[in-house]
Amino acid sequence: MAQSRCAFSIDDELGESNQPVTRIDKFVSNHSHELVSRRRWFHQHPEIAYYEEETANYILDQLRQLGVQAITRAAKTGVICDIGVGSPTVLCRFNMDALPIPEKTSLTYSSLNDGYSHACGHDFELAWGLMLAKYYQAYPPNGTVRLVFQPAEEDPGDDVESRTGGQWLAQLGIFDGVDGAFSLHVDPELPVGTLSIVEGPVTASAFDFDIAIRGKACHAAKPHQGLNPIPYAGRVIDDLAALETGLRARIGEDGFVLITPSQVASRVDLDSPEAGSRNTIPEHVFISGITRVRPPQMQTELLVGLERICEKYRDLIDCSIKVVKRAPATVNDSRLVPFVREVGSRLGLTPVEKVTSWRDDAGWCSEKAPTAHGFVGVETDNQSVLHSPYFNPDERGLQIGLKVLIGATELFLASPSSGRLSAALDN
């Protein structure tokens, strides 16, 4: 790309603050109301994994109105579009799905779908995606910009293969041949004006587990006539905590491990839709939960430890475990991160290097393409935490995130080495 096409140099002028006003600044400023309007539409229309039909139709309609031609559907409700032609190819990824969490913010643009909300900030991402499309339609890139609106990041929903959207898109080859991939997530634990980006692992590898313990049902006043699985469930939960403690002791200062049992349910019989009464010892107890681990090489110890917990009780009771890889760690490429840092510096953002216990489907992308996944501060108050009915991110983060994404992709496309990043990974 010629230097004159770089958005940080074209049409620069000095404002009252003596800071350069760039094409990106002008674009975001001129479209700030539209950016907020797009976010609020998505916020009012939350849809869960693989049911994002209204969301997908809205995205398709907006892209077509912009004149985007190369649009495809993938992974049931996903939307992918390419703008521009040729190499290099830069990708930006935006999560689509909401959560089955009721909204209690009392905002004038609160969720219209009772029991569901965008309590993870994916409405911000979707608004960024549409505005990136608008920007690159107005200023065609020297190369290809691929925008990926990805479904089902939070949960695999009812996918028969238990895949989240990122895994499905990776299997379809959507991330193949990409020279650089950028994505952002909002972070309510960071102040507005803060940008976090690190090299190496930034999110944790994630495995979900389901443990099934089967005893023998009987009257609760005659426990000797059956085999109560509930005390064994208590022991298993204690063992999960002990495994977490043991792994943490060996993982080192830069590592992280978490094992969280988050659901416990009992059934008198598998054909029974309810747990039964307190007068009945159930035949089945089910324990479900999540794990997070970093660095990736600790995965084996975690998985072996989970299996051994069930083995411990198999001579006493029927105990089995199913573990599903929900997402690999997102690993940021050391050659891609500087583009994001440079943009943050030019925007005057406070730099932070934060790794997190969260998982993100960006991990599936980072296994296929050089990736830079960062976090934009949207802190408001103590109640506004992710996956909360009160989640209410500061909308000032909308403009910041959009500037970072446009700026990073522009700098990447202007870099002489950008088209060689993917090839270097294969050598």
Side-chain angles (χ1 to χ4, degrees):
M1 178 180 287
Q3 183 65 24
S4 63
R5 286 299 312 275
C6 182
F8 283 109
S9 60
I10 191 170
D11 294 335
D12 287 355
E13 59 189 44
L14 292 179
E16 294 182 0
S17 63
N18 293 326
Q19 294 295 318
V21 178
T22 69
R23 185 172 75 199
I24 296 174
D25 292 319
K26 292 177 181 177
F27 175 85
V28 175
S29 177
N30 290 342
H31 297 90
S32 60
H33 293 296
E34 181 181 351
L35 175 63
V36 171
S37 175
R38 296 283 177 260
R39 182 258 164 165
R40 292 186 177 184
W41 188 93
F42 289 119
H43 188 84
Q44 287 187 298
H45 300 83
E47 296 172 298
I48 59 174
Y50 297 125
Y51 287 91
E52 307 97 333
E53 291 291 351
E54 188 176 12
T55 302
N57 288 334
Y58 181 84
I59 292 168
L60 287 167
D61 180 64
Q62 296 301 314
L63 292 176
R64 288 165 180 158
Q65 287 187 41
L66 290 171
V68 178
Q69 299 296 315
I71 306 173
T72 57
R73 297 289 301 271
K76 193 173 181 180
T77 49
V79 179
I80 298 97
C81 71
D82 285 353
I83 300 175
V85 293
S87 297
T89 296
V90 63
L91 178 148
C92 289
R93 189 185 136 276
F94 315 99
N95 296 315
M96 297 172 66
D97 56 330
L99 289 155
I101 296 175
E103 181 169 356
K104 298 182 179 180
T105 62
S106 299
L107 295 168
T108 57
Y109 51 90
S110 291
S111 169
L112 299 176
N113 297 337
D114 289 344
Y116 302 94
S117 67
H118 269 295
C120 203
H122 293 175
D123 48 349
F124 272 54
E125 298 179 37
L126 294 170
W128 291 333
L130 288 181
M131 299 311 293
L132 271 166
K134 186 162 194 168
Y135 177 85
Y136 279 112
Q137 280 294 98
Y139 304 103
N142 185 14
T144 302
V145 174
R146 177 169 297 170
L147 306 179
V148 176
F149 298 87
Q150 184 218 293
E153 193 276 333
E154 297 287 352
D155 188 86
D158 56 8
D159 176 56
V160 294
E161 297 184 34
S162 192
R163 299 168 296 185
T164 58
Q167 183 179 6
W168 196 343
L169 293 179
Q171 292 172 349
L172 292 172
I174 300 300
F175 307 128
D176 294 349
V178 170
D179 298 297
F182 295 90
S183 54
L184 288 177
H185 199 289
V186 298
D187 190 339
E189 299 173 4
L190 295 176
V192 175
T194 299
L195 174 66
S196 176
I197 188 77
V198 302
E199 296 179 5
V202 59
T203 66
S205 301
F207 297 85
D208 291 354
F209 64 86
D210 293 283
I211 297 173
I213 305 171
R214 182 176 185 178
K216 182 180 178 183
C218 66
H219 197 292
K222 297 274 190 176
H224 60 283
Q225 294 179 348
L227 178 59
N228 193 346
I230 290 179
Y232 288 96
R235 295 183 202 176
V236 166
I237 291 172
D238 287 341
D239 289 339
L240 291 171
L243 175 61
E244 178 185 80
T245 300
L247 290 176
R248 284 186 176 181
R250 300 195 306 277
I251 207 166
E253 293 183 1
D254 296 330
F256 177 88
V257 65
L258 177 146
I259 304 171
T260 302
S262 53
Q263 293 181 322
V264 180
S266 64
R267 288 289 182 271
V268 175
D269 185 85
L270 290 181
D271 293 329
S272 170
E274 298 180 0
S277 72
R278 69 180 66 214
N279 278 328
T280 303
I281 288 176
E283 182 169 343
H284 303 273
V285 174
F286 304 99
I287 304 168
S288 299
I290 66 165
T291 70
R292 301 285 188 268
V293 62
R294 191 181 58 246
Q297 54 265 33
M298 288 297 295
Q299 293 179 17
T300 299
E301 288 196 48
L302 170 66
L303 298 177
V304 169
L306 290 171
E307 183 63 35
R308 285 177 176 169
I309 287 175
C310 281
E311 289 177 355
K312 177 179 175 181
Y313 297 103
R314 281 177 182 156
D315 289 340
L316 303 173
I317 196 168
D318 185 350
C319 184
S320 61
I321 184 169
K322 178 182 178 182
V323 179
V324 176
K325 183 178 181 179
R326 190 57 65 215
T330 303
V331 181
N332 283 343
D333 192 281
S334 61
R335 295 158 297 179
L336 214 61
V337 167
F339 293 104
V340 180
R341 286 180 175 157
E342 174 67 16
V343 174
S345 175
R346 296 191 187 196
L347 294 175
L349 302 177
T350 302
V352 175
E353 294 188 359
K354 177 182 177 180
V355 294
T356 176
S357 62
W358 299 332
R359 69 149 180 88
D360 197 287
D361 264 14
W364 295 109
C365 181
S366 74
E367 288 192 330
K368 299 286 187 176
T371 294
H373 180 69
F375 298 90
V376 173
V378 291
E379 181 182 46
T380 50
D381 56 59
N382 291 332
Q383 276 194 315
S384 188
V385 297
L386 292 177
H387 293 213
S388 160
Y390 304 98
F391 181 61
N392 181 23
D394 194 315
E395 284 190 323
R396 289 179 295 173
L398 278 169
Q399 292 195 33
I400 293 171
L402 181 57
K403 289 181 179 180
V404 169
L405 287 170
I406 296 176
T409 53
E410 283 276 33
L411 286 178
F412 178 82
L413 290 170
S415 170
S417 63
S418 60
R420 297 196 295 271
L421 286 178
S422 284
L425 292 180
D426 299 326
N427 297 329

